[in-house]
Amino acid sequence: MTDTSSIRGDGQTWVAPLNGALRRVPVWPLYVIGAAWGGWLFWLAATGGLGVEPIEALEHRYGQLSLQLLVAGLAVTPLRKLLGINLMKFRRAIGVLTFFFLLAHFLVWAVLDVQTASAIWADILKRPYVTIGMAGFLMLIPLGLTSNNWSVRKLGGAAWRKLHKLVYPAAVLGALHFVWLAKGFQIEPLIYLGIIVGLLAIRFWPALGFGRR
Amino acid sequence: MAYRYNSDLTRDDVTPREVYLNRRQIMMGSGAMLGAGLIGGAAHAQAVAQTGGAWDLTLNSLEEITTYNNFYEFGTGKDDPARYARALTTAPWEIVIDGMVDNPGTYSFDQIMEGMTVEERIYRLRCVERWSMVVPWNGFELADLLNRVGVQEGAQYVAFETAMRPEEMPGLAYPIIDWPYREGLRLDEAMHPLTILATGIYGEAMPNQNGAPIRLVVPWKYGYKSIKSIVRITLTDEQPRTAWNTYSTQEYGFYSNVNPNRDHPRWSQAEERRIGGGLFASRIPTLMFNGYEDEVASLYAGMDLNEFH
């Protein structure tokens, strides 16, 4: 769908060699590194490596990693269109890991932090920052489940792409979730929100000249 | 010289730790019994010992107390104070005491400590964020200091201020709250025997991240009321502005008494997690007035604790 004239990085001499190098990097190590990183953090938390309040620390680390990977996944298309850097083949792995860490974040929250089913339910219903976090998580479940070739074939490319647009509202909800739970006026969550809104604006703002067509 | 009042005394010279702990545990057990109404004191104390509930007064370690802190002047991360608070110059230290007092003035730390009896107080600390610790503070009753400077007729509140030194406190670069950090108590709360100014933990000088050299400790209120590194104490007849109440009146009331029946707008306050339980620690029920109901409930007789939260 992209004609080369819309790719602004064409003239950059370093882009072609970079893309060449990226083509030779296999994708599978990303899954291994991601899974190992999640397990390593859990082990650290269980053995005192994340400080004296490991439940909160682990919950925050998983949530933050998920948000960072979400940003990385949303940056793939703008990077290609703005600079011509092609990370397309890594995008599924980034998305699957986003979901992996989000699931881990949810499980630490539900099982280790809140602990009882009734309290989990009460929090989801009564606490807006939990409600929107939960909404974002629910939106990403079908995306996680269909991140495989079989699903793409089964759904057809158009329907699959349409479904995966759910990542846009989910990303905004994830950032708002982070902003909302902060105590006092804190900069860091607002930076995440700003980056995510910025990345979405690049996609959807026709004035920027590389919106969807 | 600071800490001359406790430098040659340890907790073991006053009361053997185990005895002291047990005594407190039994006291708290009976207090909770009155609250619960029906449960027998001995049976309750036993249940507490077994479940390790909020009545459990097993001390948190110095490592726990000094590595997990909220002191936003040094950053909002729990480990930021431990990392950055060493830059705080705590000697010399001065406190301005002004407002409706007979002897206003600027007092050095040593002058403040003159004639004060430093004793150990083992208190529960309940943070508004739903975690708690048990801390062996060393300090003296705020009432002793207020009586010495002479509270004038008509004074009804005590206002406190934390040091504001941008060159030593990196967190001040961010408008997290409206600096400087301010807190306040009603005069009867300030004069209550449980209310202390603490100058140490575990018999050692107050660590910087815990509010050196001198901080307030009000154990029946959420932790943020216990203002750190105090540089000003003002007696006044008006309810003072306080930092978190100014940030959000809805979320952080002036009183901020620990109350499991009134939720923070964004989370429940019915339970808490004691620091030190590891990755699989259970939540424990939060106690009314953080377990000091017998001692302080009368201060609020007839008040709607939901309205005056």
Side-chain angles (χ1 to χ4, degrees):
Chain A
M1 60 157 225
T2 38
D3 57 311
T4 47
S5 64
S6 73
I7 293 176
R8 297 188 174 179
D10 267 358
Q12 309 280 359
T13 50
W14 52 272
V15 170
L18 178 65
N19 283 337
L22 284 170
R23 264 195 296 279
R24 286 190 296 276
V25 178
V27 175
W28 63 266
L30 279 187
Y31 293 102
V32 176
I33 292 167
W37 187 239
W40 167 246
L41 286 175
F42 191 89
W43 190 81
L44 279 182
T47 54
L50 293 186
V52 298
E53 219 304 30
I55 299 174
E56 183 207 35
L58 190 63
E59 192 176 309
H60 288 184
R61 294 289 280 274
Y62 282 157
Q64 210 157 6
L65 273 167
S66 183
L67 206 50
Q68 286 159 356
L69 286 161
L70 202 53
V71 167
L74 288 176
V76 169
T77 296
L79 275 177
R80 189 167 56 92
K81 292 192 173 175
L82 283 174
L83 300 174
I85 298 170
N86 193 346
L87 295 166
M88 226 39 190
K89 76 170 187 180
F90 302 106
R91 194 164 71 167
R92 176 181 289 170
I94 293 170
V96 169
L97 289 174
T98 300
F99 186 72
F100 168 71
F101 282 109
L102 182 55
L103 181 65
H105 172 68
F106 167 77
L107 287 174
V108 171
W109 172 75
V111 178
L112 298 178
D113 188 352
V114 186
Q115 299 179 350
T116 55
S118 60
I120 291 167
W121 193 235
D123 263 8
I124 292 171
L125 292 182
K126 282 169 71 178
R127 318 289 165 199
Y129 80 90
V130 180
T131 313
I132 61 171
M134 200 62 206
F137 174 55
L138 290 176
M139 284 180 191
L140 291 184
I141 288 175
L143 277 59
L145 293 176
T146 56
S147 287
N148 50 72
N149 291 337
W150 182 82
S151 295
V152 179
R153 274 198 306 275
K154 196 80 182 164
L155 288 167
W160 186 92
R161 270 195 297 278
K162 199 167 176 184
L163 175 67
H164 279 244
K165 282 178 186 166
L166 274 175
V167 72
Y168 306 143
V172 174
L173 289 177
L176 286 175
H177 168 73
F178 190 21
V179 169
W180 207 329
L181 63 85
K183 212 165 118 239
F185 179 80
Q186 295 195 29
I187 306 289
E188 193 190 352
L190 293 173
I191 292 175
Y192 279 94
L193 181 64
I195 291 174
I196 285 173
V197 169
L199 287 171
L200 294 182
I202 288 173
R203 275 162 199 273
F204 294 116
W205 202 350
L208 291 174
F210 33 78
R212 309 192 69 81
R213 49 191 79 189
Chain B
M1 186 63 208
Y3 305 111
R4 59 192 139 164
Y5 300 100
N6 61 355
S7 60
D8 56 353
L9 287 175
T10 70
R11 87 183 56 240
D12 296 327
D13 294 318
V14 189
T15 314
R17 182 183 159 204
E18 296 312 317
V19 173
Y20 191 69
L21 280 179
N22 287 337
R23 199 176 65 207
R24 294 289 300 181
Q25 231 157 25
I26 291 159
M27 262 175 60
M28 288 307 142
S30 62
M33 178 196 69
L34 289 178
L38 294 170
I39 312 166
H44 189 80
Q46 177 124 32
V48 166
Q50 281 166 358
T51 59
W55 297 269
D56 182 359
L57 279 170
T58 306
L59 299 182
N60 278 98
S61 69
L62 190 62
E63 189 207 343
E64 287 159 355
I65 295 168
T66 55
T67 59
Y68 192 78
N69 306 100
N70 280 328
F71 198 165
Y72 283 6
E73 281 83 344
F74 297 101
T76 52
K78 290 288 184 293
D79 51 353
D80 284 340
R83 209 175 295 161
Y84 302 118
R86 73 195 60 185
L88 182 68
T89 310
T90 56
W93 193 268
E94 290 178 335
I95 300 182
V96 174
I97 303 181
D98 61 1
M100 302 170 76
V101 292
D102 295 330
N103 302 298
T106 301
Y107 293 81
S108 71
F109 184 81
D110 288 355
Q111 287 169 328
I112 297 271
M113 298 306 287
E114 247 163 62
M116 294 296 150
T117 308
V118 173
E119 56 182 308
E120 180 176 74
R121 296 284 181 98
I122 295 175
Y123 284 159
R124 278 180 291 271
L125 173 78
R126 168 61 156 83
C127 178
V128 73
E129 296 165 357
R130 296 187 289 185
W131 53 267
S132 63
M133 295 191 189
V134 178
V135 183
W137 303 104
N138 309 103
F140 57 88
E141 291 181 15
L142 174 60
D144 291 344
L145 178 63
L146 294 181
N147 286 333
R148 210 177 73 197
V149 295
V151 178
Q152 290 180 349
E153 189 100 351
Q156 290 174 50
Y157 294 92
V158 188
F160 304 86
E161 243 178 68
T162 296
M164 186 163 77
R165 299 183 192 154
E167 67 283 3
E168 296 183 354
M169 299 171 150
L172 292 177
Y174 305 96
I176 304 158
I177 55 163
D178 184 11
W179 308 112
Y181 197 90
R182 297 181 180 92
E183 261 309 336
L185 295 172
R186 223 169 52 188
L187 186 58
D188 57 346
E189 297 174 324
M191 300 297 272
H192 193 281
L194 280 180
T195 303
I196 60 169
L197 286 175
T199 53
I201 295 174
Y202 271 112
E204 290 167 29
M206 185 68 72
N208 282 8
Q209 59 265 46
N210 296 88
I214 186 165
R215 64 169 290 169
L216 186 68
V217 180
V218 196
W220 71 92
K221 293 174 180 284
Y222 292 118
Y224 61 85
K225 292 294 288 185
S226 295
I227 185 171
K228 292 170 172 168
S229 304
I230 297 168
V231 294
R232 184 176 194 141
I233 300 175
T234 309
L235 276 290
T236 163
D237 56 359
E238 281 174 24
Q239 182 174 304
R241 234 180 106 197
T242 66
W244 284 107
N245 185 243
T246 304
Y247 171 77
S248 170
T249 310
Q250 247 301 95
E251 297 196 341
Y252 310 100
F254 173 77
Y255 287 94
S256 293
N257 294 317
V258 174
N259 183 351
N261 307 314
R262 189 194 186 276
D263 286 350
H264 184 281
R266 286 183 285 162
W267 54 80
S268 160
Q269 293 290 24
E271 294 180 318
E272 66 199 56
R273 193 158 52 228
R274 180 67 48 80
I275 297 297
L279 187 55
F280 305 102
S282 298
R283 284 188 183 271
I284 53 179
T286 289
L287 306 177
M288 189 65 203
F289 295 113
N290 202 21
Y292 301 97
E293 189 166 12
D294 286 357
E295 290 88 343
V296 303
S298 60
L299 294 174
Y300 311 100
M303 279 173 67
D304 179 345
L305 294 176
N306 268 315
E307 190 186 342
F308 298 99
H309 65 92

